Amino acid sequence: NAGVTQTPKFRVLKTGQSMTLLCAQDMNHEYMYWYRQDPGMGLRLIHYSVGEGTTAKGEVPDGYNVSRLKKQNFLLGLESAAPSQTSVYFCASSYTGRSGYTFGSGTRLTVV
Amino acid sequence: AQKITQTQPGMFVQEKEAVTLDCTYDTSDPSYGLFWYKQPSSGEMIFLIYQGSYDQQNATEGRYSLNFQKARKSANLVISASQLGDSAMYFCAMREPPTQGGSEKLVFGKGMKLTVNP
């Protein structure tokens, strides 16, 4: 099925560990986004990409890095996880940034 | 500064009744878009409806309609004939115009919880 796929769906990390969240889309979308969702805060943009090889910071980029080596994939990295990064992470993609946004099913990350 | 404001943290409605979910926004750009998403307890984000700032008519999608009042900067979601399956979190979002060197992106409100009672 066409759409946005996020892996993993759940993960528990210890403080200081690193990990990478993968977002893959098969809709040939140029724009991809990483959001985090915390209770009472809505979704906040971490980083985004407007095309292969380009990335930019969003509202809450600290502690995260991203890469877009292939058009269909957008990776979110945590180099040294902190409890404050416990959250649900959503990836989204859009053809132009002006058109509809398709969301993945989310990754629930807990840092202990 | 809050660009999308959803003031109702939670609402209750009886099944089959209509309900309005409030959303106000703040932008000085004449070109923007407004979205509503539903997030059920399973967690996925489901697109409901879209309104462009230049659209002449209010958007409608089945039981969903958007009461777009441009001068008041409000984009309220109206759900007609509520169903039990409408119980969920609802998020209003605005497609924010590009900033210098940046790109258009979605900015979300904090959401509100709708509970439909039988």
Side-chain angles (χ1 to χ4, degrees), chain A residues 31 33 35 37 40-43 45 48 50 90 96-105, chain B residues 31 35 37 39 43-45 47 50 91 95 101-111:
Chain A
Y31 290 59
Y33 309 83
Y35 288 88
Q37 182 182 21
M41 298 295 292
L43 278 74
L45 184 64
Y48 64 98
V50 301
F90 284 97
T96 65
R98 297 182 62 85
S99 57
Y101 291 66
T102 303
F103 281 82
S105 58
Chain B
S31 177
F35 299 75
Y37 284 85
Q39 186 179 44
E44 69 268 31
M45 296 291 288
F47 167 75
Y50 168 80
F91 292 92
R95 187 187 68 233
S103 167
E104 291 171 311
K105 45 197 170 290
L106 278 187
V107 177
F108 284 82
K110 295 184 177 182

Side-chain angles (χ1 to χ4, degrees), chain B residues 16-70:
Chain B
K16 300 181 184 179
E17 291 184 351
V19 62
T20 297
L21 311 185
D22 295 342
C23 173
T24 58
Y25 59 92
D26 182 27
T27 182
S28 57
D29 197 285
S31 177
Y32 53 90
L34 297 156
F35 299 75
W36 276 92
Y37 284 85
K38 172 185 177 182
Q39 186 179 44
S41 58
S42 52
E44 69 268 31
M45 296 291 288
I46 301 170
F47 167 75
L48 296 178
I49 198 166
Y50 168 80
Q51 179 85 44
S53 59
Y54 294 120
D55 293 345
Q56 294 297 313
Q57 295 188 340
N58 287 347
T60 60
E61 290 284 350
R63 294 186 299 112
Y64 305 107
S65 61
L66 203 151
N67 184 2
F68 182 45
Q69 298 187 42
K70 199 169 183 177

